[in-house]
mmCIF file of all heavy atoms in Angstrom:
data_model
loop_
_atom_site.group_PDB
_atom_site.id
_atom_site.type_symbol
_atom_site.label_atom_id
_atom_site.label_comp_id
_atom_site.label_asym_id
_atom_site.label_seq_id
_atom_site.Cartn_x
_atom_site.Cartn_y
_atom_site.Cartn_z
ATOM 1 N N MET A 157 -176.085 151.211 -16.852
ATOM 2 C CA MET A 157 -174.927 150.328 -16.892
ATOM 3 C C MET A 157 -174.937 149.577 -18.224
ATOM 4 O O MET A 157 -175.944 149.022 -18.618
ATOM 5 C CB MET A 157 -174.975 149.341 -15.724
ATOM 6 C CG MET A 157 -173.852 148.332 -15.771
ATOM 7 S SD MET A 157 -173.912 147.126 -14.445
ATOM 8 C CE MET A 157 -173.019 148.014 -13.201
ATOM 9 N N GLU A 158 -173.811 149.584 -18.881
ATOM 10 C CA GLU A 158 -173.673 148.893 -20.160
ATOM 11 C C GLU A 158 -173.398 147.409 -19.929
ATOM 12 O O GLU A 158 -172.612 147.041 -19.053
ATOM 13 C CB GLU A 158 -172.531 149.513 -20.951
ATOM 14 C CG GLU A 158 -172.350 148.907 -22.313
ATOM 15 C CD GLU A 158 -171.206 149.530 -23.083
ATOM 16 O OE1 GLU A 158 -170.745 150.623 -22.706
ATOM 17 O OE2 GLU A 158 -170.762 148.910 -24.040
ATOM 18 N N ILE A 159 -174.044 146.569 -20.715
ATOM 19 C CA ILE A 159 -173.805 145.128 -20.632
ATOM 20 C C ILE A 159 -172.555 144.803 -21.434
ATOM 21 O O ILE A 159 -172.449 145.154 -22.605
ATOM 22 C CB ILE A 159 -175.000 144.324 -21.182
ATOM 23 C CG1 ILE A 159 -176.235 144.574 -20.329
ATOM 24 C CG2 ILE A 159 -174.671 142.840 -21.239
ATOM 25 C CD1 ILE A 159 -177.502 143.949 -20.866
ATOM 26 N N ILE A 160 -171.594 144.165 -20.783
ATOM 27 C CA ILE A 160 -170.382 143.739 -21.468
ATOM 28 C C ILE A 160 -170.632 142.314 -21.959
ATOM 29 O O ILE A 160 -170.700 141.372 -21.171
ATOM 30 C CB ILE A 160 -169.154 143.817 -20.551
ATOM 31 C CG1 ILE A 160 -168.944 145.267 -20.107
ATOM 32 C CG2 ILE A 160 -167.919 143.266 -21.250
ATOM 33 C CD1 ILE A 160 -167.892 145.445 -19.047
ATOM 34 N N TYR A 161 -170.812 142.184 -23.268
ATOM 35 C CA TYR A 161 -171.168 140.918 -23.895
ATOM 36 C C TYR A 161 -169.994 140.397 -24.703
ATOM 37 O O TYR A 161 -169.305 141.154 -25.365
ATOM 38 C CB TYR A 161 -172.381 141.132 -24.812
ATOM 39 C CG TYR A 161 -172.757 139.930 -25.624
ATOM 40 C CD1 TYR A 161 -173.391 138.844 -25.036
ATOM 41 C CD2 TYR A 161 -172.473 139.858 -26.978
ATOM 42 C CE1 TYR A 161 -173.723 137.726 -25.773
ATOM 43 C CE2 TYR A 161 -172.801 138.753 -27.724
ATOM 44 C CZ TYR A 161 -173.423 137.682 -27.119
ATOM 45 O OH TYR A 161 -173.747 136.572 -27.858
ATOM 46 N N GLN A 162 -169.774 139.083 -24.630
ATOM 47 C CA GLN A 162 -168.743 138.449 -25.451
ATOM 48 C C GLN A 162 -169.369 137.303 -26.240
ATOM 49 O O GLN A 162 -170.267 136.626 -25.740
ATOM 50 C CB GLN A 162 -167.579 137.969 -24.598
ATOM 51 C CG GLN A 162 -167.959 137.180 -23.366
ATOM 52 C CD GLN A 162 -166.764 136.974 -22.447
ATOM 53 O OE1 GLN A 162 -165.629 136.951 -22.868
ATOM 54 N NE2 GLN A 162 -167.050 136.808 -21.167
ATOM 55 N N LYS A 163 -168.914 137.112 -27.471
ATOM 56 C CA LYS A 163 -169.514 136.100 -28.355
ATOM 57 C C LYS A 163 -169.063 134.684 -28.024
ATOM 58 O O LYS A 163 -169.651 133.727 -28.520
ATOM 59 C CB LYS A 163 -169.215 136.421 -29.812
ATOM 60 C CG LYS A 163 -169.961 137.642 -30.289
ATOM 61 C CD LYS A 163 -169.776 137.858 -31.758
ATOM 62 C CE LYS A 163 -170.593 139.047 -32.200
ATOM 63 N NZ LYS A 163 -170.493 139.290 -33.624
ATOM 64 N N GLN A 164 -168.056 134.529 -27.213
ATOM 65 C CA GLN A 164 -167.578 133.208 -26.811
ATOM 66 C C GLN A 164 -167.332 133.246 -25.309
ATOM 67 O O GLN A 164 -166.530 134.030 -24.836
ATOM 68 C CB GLN A 164 -166.290 132.874 -27.574
ATOM 69 C CG GLN A 164 -165.889 131.425 -27.524
ATOM 70 C CD GLN A 164 -166.823 130.513 -28.301
ATOM 71 O OE1 GLN A 164 -167.879 130.167 -27.788
ATOM 72 N NE2 GLN A 164 -166.473 130.125 -29.497
ATOM 73 N N ALA A 165 -168.043 132.410 -24.565
ATOM 74 C CA ALA A 165 -167.904 132.398 -23.109
ATOM 75 C C ALA A 165 -167.477 131.016 -22.618
ATOM 76 O O ALA A 165 -167.559 130.030 -23.340
ATOM 77 C CB ALA A 165 -169.224 132.802 -22.454
ATOM 78 N N GLU A 166 -167.033 130.973 -21.394
ATOM 79 C CA GLU A 166 -166.608 129.738 -20.734
ATOM 80 C C GLU A 166 -167.776 128.757 -20.643
ATOM 81 O O GLU A 166 -168.908 129.142 -20.355
ATOM 82 C CB GLU A 166 -166.122 130.140 -19.331
ATOM 83 C CG GLU A 166 -165.767 129.038 -18.417
ATOM 84 C CD GLU A 166 -165.382 129.569 -17.027
ATOM 85 O OE1 GLU A 166 -165.010 130.742 -16.886
ATOM 86 O OE2 GLU A 166 -165.468 128.766 -16.094
ATOM 87 N N LYS A 167 -167.508 127.463 -20.910
ATOM 88 C CA LYS A 167 -168.542 126.423 -20.799
ATOM 89 C C LYS A 167 -169.168 126.484 -19.416
ATOM 90 O O LYS A 167 -168.485 126.688 -18.429
ATOM 91 C CB LYS A 167 -167.939 125.026 -21.019
ATOM 92 C CG LYS A 167 -167.483 124.770 -22.420
ATOM 93 C CD LYS A 167 -168.608 124.219 -23.238
ATOM 94 C CE LYS A 167 -168.077 123.820 -24.605
ATOM 95 N NZ LYS A 167 -169.094 123.693 -25.581
ATOM 96 N N GLY A 168 -170.497 126.339 -19.375
ATOM 97 C CA GLY A 168 -171.222 126.392 -18.115
ATOM 98 C C GLY A 168 -171.643 127.802 -17.734
ATOM 99 O O GLY A 168 -172.436 127.993 -16.826
ATOM 100 N N LYS A 169 -171.101 128.805 -18.441
ATOM 101 C CA LYS A 169 -171.455 130.204 -18.180
ATOM 102 C C LYS A 169 -171.862 130.895 -19.479
ATOM 103 O O LYS A 169 -171.670 132.082 -19.645
ATOM 104 C CB LYS A 169 -170.282 130.937 -17.533
ATOM 105 C CG LYS A 169 -170.006 130.452 -16.125
ATOM 106 C CD LYS A 169 -168.947 131.298 -15.461
ATOM 107 C CE LYS A 169 -168.729 130.832 -14.025
ATOM 108 N NZ LYS A 169 -167.726 131.623 -13.339
ATOM 109 N N GLN A 170 -172.396 130.100 -20.403
ATOM 110 C CA GLN A 170 -172.811 130.631 -21.691
ATOM 111 C C GLN A 170 -174.280 131.040 -21.645
ATOM 112 O O GLN A 170 -175.040 130.596 -20.792
ATOM 113 C CB GLN A 170 -172.610 129.575 -22.777
ATOM 114 C CG GLN A 170 -171.152 129.217 -22.961
ATOM 115 C CD GLN A 170 -170.948 128.077 -23.918
ATOM 116 O OE1 GLN A 170 -171.735 127.145 -23.975
ATOM 117 N NE2 GLN A 170 -169.872 128.150 -24.683
ATOM 118 N N CYS A 171 -174.664 131.877 -22.594
ATOM 119 C CA CYS A 171 -176.048 132.357 -22.665
ATOM 120 C C CYS A 171 -177.049 131.192 -22.616
ATOM 121 O O CYS A 171 -178.060 131.271 -21.924
ATOM 122 C CB CYS A 171 -176.269 133.152 -23.947
ATOM 123 S SG CYS A 171 -175.357 134.708 -24.012
ATOM 124 N N GLN A 172 -176.756 130.120 -23.334
ATOM 125 C CA GLN A 172 -177.671 128.985 -23.370
ATOM 126 C C GLN A 172 -177.906 128.357 -21.996
ATOM 127 O O GLN A 172 -178.888 127.667 -21.781
ATOM 128 C CB GLN A 172 -177.170 127.938 -24.365
ATOM 129 C CG GLN A 172 -175.823 127.354 -24.004
ATOM 130 C CD GLN A 172 -175.192 126.621 -25.167
ATOM 131 O OE1 GLN A 172 -175.846 126.349 -26.166
ATOM 132 N NE2 GLN A 172 -173.924 126.298 -25.050
ATOM 133 N N ASP A 173 -177.024 128.615 -21.043
ATOM 134 C CA ASP A 173 -177.154 128.090 -19.682
ATOM 135 C C ASP A 173 -177.777 129.103 -18.724
ATOM 136 O O ASP A 173 -177.981 128.812 -17.551
ATOM 137 C CB ASP A 173 -175.772 127.692 -19.137
ATOM 138 C CG ASP A 173 -175.074 126.668 -20.014
ATOM 139 O OD1 ASP A 173 -175.719 125.688 -20.413
ATOM 140 O OD2 ASP A 173 -173.878 126.868 -20.305
ATOM 141 N N CYS A 174 -178.068 130.305 -19.226
ATOM 142 C CA CYS A 174 -178.578 131.396 -18.399
ATOM 143 C C CYS A 174 -180.109 131.440 -18.425
ATOM 144 O O CYS A 174 -180.729 131.212 -19.460
ATOM 145 C CB CYS A 174 -178.027 132.724 -18.915
ATOM 146 S SG CYS A 174 -178.539 134.161 -17.932
ATOM 147 N N GLN A 175 -180.698 131.755 -17.283
ATOM 148 C CA GLN A 175 -182.160 131.794 -17.199
ATOM 149 C C GLN A 175 -182.778 132.953 -17.971
ATOM 150 O O GLN A 175 -183.963 132.939 -18.251
ATOM 151 C CB GLN A 175 -182.635 131.781 -15.758
ATOM 152 C CG GLN A 175 -182.142 132.885 -14.889
ATOM 153 C CD GLN A 175 -182.586 132.705 -13.448
ATOM 154 O OE1 GLN A 175 -183.646 133.186 -13.083
ATOM 155 N NE2 GLN A 175 -181.801 132.012 -12.654
ATOM 156 N N SER A 176 -181.989 133.934 -18.397
ATOM 157 C CA SER A 176 -182.521 135.074 -19.152
ATOM 158 C C SER A 176 -182.495 134.854 -20.662
ATOM 159 O O SER A 176 -183.065 135.633 -21.410
ATOM 160 C CB SER A 176 -181.726 136.334 -18.817
ATOM 161 O OG SER A 176 -181.830 136.620 -17.436
ATOM 162 N N PHE A 177 -181.832 133.795 -21.135
ATOM 163 C CA PHE A 177 -181.714 133.511 -22.563
ATOM 164 C C PHE A 177 -182.996 132.902 -23.103
ATOM 165 O O PHE A 177 -183.545 131.961 -22.537
ATOM 166 C CB PHE A 177 -180.554 132.546 -22.810
ATOM 167 C CG PHE A 177 -180.376 132.117 -24.242
ATOM 168 C CD1 PHE A 177 -179.896 133.012 -25.184
ATOM 169 C CD2 PHE A 177 -180.667 130.834 -24.650
ATOM 170 C CE1 PHE A 177 -179.715 132.624 -26.507
ATOM 171 C CE2 PHE A 177 -180.494 130.431 -25.960
ATOM 172 C CZ PHE A 177 -180.008 131.331 -26.900
ATOM 173 N N VAL A 178 -183.475 133.454 -24.231
ATOM 174 C CA VAL A 178 -184.658 132.930 -24.911
ATOM 175 C C VAL A 178 -184.231 132.544 -26.325
ATOM 176 O O VAL A 178 -183.975 133.419 -27.161
ATOM 177 C CB VAL A 178 -185.793 133.985 -24.970
ATOM 178 C CG1 VAL A 178 -186.998 133.433 -25.713
ATOM 179 C CG2 VAL A 178 -186.169 134.437 -23.570
ATOM 180 N N PRO A 179 -184.122 131.219 -26.611
ATOM 181 C CA PRO A 179 -183.690 130.803 -27.946
ATOM 182 C C PRO A 179 -184.766 131.099 -28.990
ATOM 183 O O PRO A 179 -185.956 131.121 -28.683
ATOM 184 C CB PRO A 179 -183.473 129.299 -27.794
ATOM 185 C CG PRO A 179 -184.315 128.899 -26.641
ATOM 186 C CD PRO A 179 -184.382 130.093 -25.728
ATOM 187 N N LYS A 180 -184.329 131.323 -30.226
ATOM 188 C CA LYS A 180 -185.274 131.528 -31.328
ATOM 189 C C LYS A 180 -185.892 130.185 -31.692
ATOM 190 O O LYS A 180 -185.240 129.146 -31.593
ATOM 191 C CB LYS A 180 -184.561 132.137 -32.531
ATOM 192 C CG LYS A 180 -184.050 133.524 -32.229
ATOM 193 C CD LYS A 180 -183.904 134.338 -33.477
ATOM 194 C CE LYS A 180 -183.334 135.688 -33.079
ATOM 195 N NZ LYS A 180 -184.055 136.794 -33.550
ATOM 196 N N ASP A 181 -187.142 130.202 -32.103
ATOM 197 C CA ASP A 181 -187.840 128.968 -32.490
ATOM 198 C C ASP A 181 -187.162 128.283 -33.669
ATOM 199 O O ASP A 181 -187.150 127.059 -33.752
ATOM 200 C CB ASP A 181 -189.291 129.270 -32.864
ATOM 201 C CG ASP A 181 -190.122 129.717 -31.662
ATOM 202 O OD1 ASP A 181 -189.779 129.356 -30.523
ATOM 203 O OD2 ASP A 181 -191.128 130.424 -31.884
ATOM 204 N N THR A 182 -186.601 129.051 -34.571
ATOM 205 C CA THR A 182 -186.028 128.513 -35.800
ATOM 206 C C THR A 182 -184.567 128.095 -35.677
ATOM 207 O O THR A 182 -184.070 127.352 -36.515
ATOM 208 C CB THR A 182 -186.143 129.549 -36.935
ATOM 209 O OG1 THR A 182 -185.519 130.769 -36.514
ATOM 210 C CG2 THR A 182 -187.604 129.822 -37.274
ATOM 211 N N ASP A 183 -183.859 128.568 -34.649
ATOM 212 C CA ASP A 183 -182.428 128.279 -34.503
ATOM 213 C C ASP A 183 -182.008 128.473 -33.051
ATOM 214 O O ASP A 183 -181.846 129.604 -32.590
ATOM 215 C CB ASP A 183 -181.614 129.201 -35.418
ATOM 216 C CG ASP A 183 -180.127 128.891 -35.431
ATOM 217 O OD1 ASP A 183 -179.679 127.980 -34.694
ATOM 218 O OD2 ASP A 183 -179.397 129.567 -36.167
ATOM 219 N N SER A 184 -181.794 127.381 -32.317
ATOM 220 C CA SER A 184 -181.463 127.473 -30.892
ATOM 221 C C SER A 184 -180.039 127.970 -30.640
ATOM 222 O O SER A 184 -179.665 128.203 -29.502
ATOM 223 C CB SER A 184 -181.674 126.124 -30.210
ATOM 224 O OG SER A 184 -180.802 125.148 -30.761
ATOM 225 N N ALA A 185 -179.237 128.153 -31.701
ATOM 226 C CA ALA A 185 -177.876 128.677 -31.543
ATOM 227 C C ALA A 185 -177.867 130.187 -31.371
ATOM 228 O O ALA A 185 -176.839 130.771 -31.041
ATOM 229 C CB ALA A 185 -177.016 128.280 -32.738
ATOM 230 N N VAL A 186 -179.023 130.817 -31.585
ATOM 231 C CA VAL A 186 -179.165 132.258 -31.394
ATOM 232 C C VAL A 186 -180.432 132.526 -30.599
ATOM 233 O O VAL A 186 -181.307 131.681 -30.502
ATOM 234 C CB VAL A 186 -179.213 133.030 -32.743
ATOM 235 C CG1 VAL A 186 -177.903 132.931 -33.471
ATOM 236 C CG2 VAL A 186 -180.347 132.547 -33.606
ATOM 237 N N GLY A 187 -180.510 133.704 -30.024
ATOM 238 C CA GLY A 187 -181.694 134.052 -29.251
ATOM 239 C C GLY A 187 -181.621 135.481 -28.779
ATOM 240 O O GLY A 187 -180.889 136.293 -29.350
ATOM 241 N N THR A 188 -182.363 135.766 -27.718
ATOM 242 C CA THR A 188 -182.361 137.109 -27.157
ATOM 243 C C THR A 188 -182.158 137.051 -25.650
ATOM 244 O O THR A 188 -182.446 136.044 -25.009
ATOM 245 C CB THR A 188 -183.684 137.849 -27.451
ATOM 246 O OG1 THR A 188 -184.763 137.105 -26.903
ATOM 247 C CG2 THR A 188 -183.903 138.054 -28.932
ATOM 248 N N CYS A 189 -181.677 138.155 -25.122
ATOM 249 C CA CYS A 189 -181.510 138.319 -23.689
ATOM 250 C C CYS A 189 -181.795 139.781 -23.385
ATOM 251 O O CYS A 189 -181.103 140.658 -23.923
ATOM 252 C CB CYS A 189 -180.103 137.942 -23.264
ATOM 253 S SG CYS A 189 -179.875 138.041 -21.474
ATOM 254 N N PHE A 190 -182.814 140.039 -22.614
ATOM 255 C CA PHE A 190 -183.220 141.410 -22.301
ATOM 256 C C PHE A 190 -183.376 142.250 -23.572
ATOM 257 O O PHE A 190 -182.989 143.412 -23.622
ATOM 258 C CB PHE A 190 -182.241 142.073 -21.330
ATOM 259 C CG PHE A 190 -182.164 141.390 -19.993
ATOM 260 C CD1 PHE A 190 -181.042 140.651 -19.639
ATOM 261 C CD2 PHE A 190 -183.215 141.462 -19.097
ATOM 262 C CE1 PHE A 190 -180.972 140.008 -18.409
ATOM 263 C CE2 PHE A 190 -183.148 140.825 -17.866
ATOM 264 C CZ PHE A 190 -182.033 140.093 -17.525
ATOM 265 N N GLY A 191 -183.920 141.615 -24.636
ATOM 266 C CA GLY A 191 -184.180 142.316 -25.881
ATOM 267 C C GLY A 191 -182.993 142.459 -26.813
ATOM 268 O O GLY A 191 -183.115 142.981 -27.907
ATOM 269 N N LYS A 192 -181.820 141.984 -26.399
ATOM 270 C CA LYS A 192 -180.610 142.067 -27.227
ATOM 271 C C LYS A 192 -180.395 140.737 -27.934
ATOM 272 O O LYS A 192 -180.515 139.678 -27.317
ATOM 273 C CB LYS A 192 -179.400 142.387 -26.339
ATOM 274 C CG LYS A 192 -178.097 142.449 -27.093
ATOM 275 C CD LYS A 192 -176.948 142.829 -26.159
ATOM 276 C CE LYS A 192 -175.602 142.783 -26.791
ATOM 277 N NZ LYS A 192 -175.403 143.572 -27.968
ATOM 278 N N ASP A 193 -180.075 140.781 -29.234
ATOM 279 C CA ASP A 193 -179.757 139.567 -29.976
ATOM 280 C C ASP A 193 -178.417 139.025 -29.489
ATOM 281 O O ASP A 193 -177.436 139.775 -29.397
ATOM 282 C CB ASP A 193 -179.683 139.850 -31.476
ATOM 283 C CG ASP A 193 -181.051 140.153 -32.074
ATOM 284 O OD1 ASP A 193 -182.061 139.630 -31.554
ATOM 285 O OD2 ASP A 193 -181.115 140.900 -33.066
ATOM 286 N N VAL A 194 -178.380 137.729 -29.163
ATOM 287 C CA VAL A 194 -177.156 137.085 -28.664
ATOM 288 C C VAL A 194 -177.003 135.707 -29.297
ATOM 289 O O VAL A 194 -177.944 135.175 -29.875
ATOM 290 C CB VAL A 194 -177.184 136.943 -27.115
ATOM 291 C CG1 VAL A 194 -177.219 138.303 -26.439
ATOM 292 C CG2 VAL A 194 -178.344 136.102 -26.653
ATOM 293 N N VAL A 195 -175.818 135.132 -29.155
ATOM 294 C CA VAL A 195 -175.580 133.757 -29.586
ATOM 295 C C VAL A 195 -175.551 132.866 -28.348
ATOM 296 O O VAL A 195 -175.157 133.302 -27.265
ATOM 297 C CB VAL A 195 -174.274 133.618 -30.406
ATOM 298 C CG1 VAL A 195 -174.377 134.368 -31.727
ATOM 299 C CG2 VAL A 195 -173.075 134.065 -29.637
ATOM 300 N N ALA A 196 -175.960 131.619 -28.508
ATOM 301 C CA ALA A 196 -176.063 130.687 -27.383
ATOM 302 C C ALA A 196 -174.731 130.466 -26.669
ATOM 303 O O ALA A 196 -174.701 130.245 -25.462
ATOM 304 C CB ALA A 196 -176.629 129.356 -27.860
ATOM 305 N N GLU A 197 -173.611 130.545 -27.398
ATOM 306 C CA GLU A 197 -172.293 130.308 -26.803
ATOM 307 C C GLU A 197 -171.669 131.573 -26.219
ATOM 308 O O GLU A 197 -170.564 131.532 -25.701
ATOM 309 C CB GLU A 197 -171.363 129.690 -27.839
ATOM 310 C CG GLU A 197 -171.804 128.289 -28.232
ATOM 311 C CD GLU A 197 -170.874 127.643 -29.234
ATOM 312 O OE1 GLU A 197 -170.009 128.332 -29.807
ATOM 313 O OE2 GLU A 197 -171.023 126.439 -29.461
ATOM 314 N N GLY A 198 -172.379 132.692 -26.298
ATOM 315 C CA GLY A 198 -171.871 133.952 -25.768
ATOM 316 C C GLY A 198 -172.070 134.044 -24.267
ATOM 317 O O GLY A 198 -172.505 133.089 -23.609
ATOM 318 N N GLY A 199 -171.779 135.198 -23.713
ATOM 319 C CA GLY A 199 -171.950 135.393 -22.282
ATOM 320 C C GLY A 199 -171.824 136.857 -21.896
ATOM 321 O O GLY A 199 -171.377 137.681 -22.680
ATOM 322 N N CYS A 200 -172.235 137.166 -20.671
ATOM 323 C CA CYS A 200 -172.100 138.529 -20.161
ATOM 324 C C CYS A 200 -171.977 138.492 -18.642
ATOM 325 O O CYS A 200 -172.052 137.436 -18.023
ATOM 326 C CB CYS A 200 -173.275 139.412 -20.592
ATOM 327 S SG CYS A 200 -174.758 139.264 -19.584
ATOM 328 N N MET A 201 -171.837 139.661 -18.059
ATOM 329 C CA MET A 201 -171.589 139.783 -16.619
ATOM 330 C C MET A 201 -172.837 139.555 -15.773
ATOM 331 O O MET A 201 -172.739 139.499 -14.552
ATOM 332 C CB MET A 201 -170.999 141.159 -16.328
ATOM 333 C CG MET A 201 -171.912 142.285 -16.729
ATOM 334 S SD MET A 201 -170.962 143.756 -17.043
ATOM 335 C CE MET A 201 -172.238 144.968 -17.112
ATOM 336 N N PHE A 202 -174.022 139.423 -16.398
ATOM 337 C CA PHE A 202 -175.255 139.201 -15.646
ATOM 338 C C PHE A 202 -175.707 137.740 -15.684
ATOM 339 O O PHE A 202 -176.866 137.434 -15.436
ATOM 340 C CB PHE A 202 -176.376 140.100 -16.187
ATOM 341 C CG PHE A 202 -176.113 141.558 -15.958
ATOM 342 C CD1 PHE A 202 -175.877 142.409 -17.023
ATOM 343 C CD2 PHE A 202 -176.083 142.078 -14.673
ATOM 344 C CE1 PHE A 202 -175.627 143.753 -16.814
ATOM 345 C CE2 PHE A 202 -175.835 143.417 -14.456
ATOM 346 C CZ PHE A 202 -175.604 144.261 -15.525
ATOM 347 N N PHE A 203 -174.780 136.821 -15.991
ATOM 348 C CA PHE A 203 -175.112 135.394 -16.077
ATOM 349 C C PHE A 203 -175.722 134.891 -14.771
ATOM 350 O O PHE A 203 -175.215 135.165 -13.689
ATOM 351 C CB PHE A 203 -173.851 134.580 -16.389
ATOM 352 C CG PHE A 203 -174.100 133.090 -16.379
ATOM 353 C CD1 PHE A 203 -174.642 132.463 -17.478
ATOM 354 C CD2 PHE A 203 -173.808 132.328 -15.262
ATOM 355 C CE1 PHE A 203 -174.890 131.099 -17.468
ATOM 356 C CE2 PHE A 203 -174.041 130.969 -15.237
ATOM 357 C CZ PHE A 203 -174.594 130.353 -16.346
ATOM 358 N N LYS A 204 -176.812 134.154 -14.901
ATOM 359 C CA LYS A 204 -177.435 133.513 -13.755
ATOM 360 C C LYS A 204 -177.897 132.127 -14.224
ATOM 361 O O LYS A 204 -178.753 132.011 -15.089
ATOM 362 C CB LYS A 204 -178.623 134.327 -13.232
ATOM 363 C CG LYS A 204 -179.172 133.777 -11.927
ATOM 364 C CD LYS A 204 -180.125 134.749 -11.265
ATOM 365 C CE LYS A 204 -180.586 134.159 -9.947
ATOM 366 N NZ LYS A 204 -181.568 134.995 -9.276
ATOM 367 N N LYS A 205 -177.287 131.096 -13.657
ATOM 368 C CA LYS A 205 -177.536 129.710 -14.065
ATOM 369 C C LYS A 205 -179.023 129.365 -13.977
ATOM 370 O O LYS A 205 -179.702 129.732 -13.030
ATOM 371 C CB LYS A 205 -176.731 128.766 -13.166
ATOM 372 C CG LYS A 205 -176.822 127.325 -13.548
ATOM 373 C CD LYS A 205 -175.567 126.891 -14.198
ATOM 374 C CE LYS A 205 -175.585 125.401 -14.461
ATOM 375 N NZ LYS A 205 -175.194 125.070 -15.798
ATOM 376 N N LYS A 206 -179.501 128.629 -15.021
ATOM 377 C CA LYS A 206 -180.879 128.147 -15.002
ATOM 378 C C LYS A 206 -181.066 127.211 -13.834
ATOM 379 O O LYS A 206 -180.181 126.415 -13.508
ATOM 380 C CB LYS A 206 -181.186 127.358 -16.287
ATOM 381 C CG LYS A 206 -181.313 128.215 -17.505
ATOM 382 C CD LYS A 206 -181.636 127.350 -18.710
ATOM 383 C CE LYS A 206 -181.659 128.185 -19.962
ATOM 384 N NZ LYS A 206 -181.821 127.364 -21.172
ATOM 385 N N GLU A 207 -182.204 127.323 -13.175
ATOM 386 C CA GLU A 207 -182.500 126.428 -12.059
ATOM 387 C C GLU A 207 -183.045 125.117 -12.607
ATOM 388 O O GLU A 207 -183.920 125.114 -13.460
ATOM 389 C CB GLU A 207 -183.525 127.067 -11.128
ATOM 390 C CG GLU A 207 -183.002 128.308 -10.423
ATOM 391 C CD GLU A 207 -184.028 128.923 -9.485
ATOM 392 O OE1 GLU A 207 -184.940 128.209 -9.045
ATOM 393 O OE2 GLU A 207 -183.878 130.116 -9.213
ATOM 394 N N VAL A 208 -182.519 124.012 -12.125
ATOM 395 C CA VAL A 208 -182.976 122.692 -12.543
ATOM 396 C C VAL A 208 -184.121 122.279 -11.642
ATOM 397 O O VAL A 208 -183.999 122.290 -10.418
ATOM 398 C CB VAL A 208 -181.825 121.658 -12.470
ATOM 399 C CG1 VAL A 208 -182.328 120.301 -12.896
ATOM 400 C CG2 VAL A 208 -180.655 122.115 -13.311
ATOM 401 N N VAL A 209 -185.246 121.979 -12.256
ATOM 402 C CA VAL A 209 -186.439 121.633 -11.473
ATOM 403 C C VAL A 209 -186.638 120.139 -11.462
ATOM 404 O O VAL A 209 -186.373 119.417 -12.326
ATOM 405 C CB VAL A 209 -187.696 122.316 -12.058
ATOM 406 C CG1 VAL A 209 -188.897 122.041 -11.194
ATOM 407 C CG2 VAL A 209 -187.459 123.790 -12.197
#
């Protein structure tokens, strides 16, 4: 299954809010998700909100 990724996503459903997003140490506006380079404001169909502990 192909991941449908968009560079601009709805607030609250962005990569930066997803538990699979790993920000880069040098720039939190970019990172990776399942090995794919993504931007923090992007999004995809596998979004899963980070759990607040």
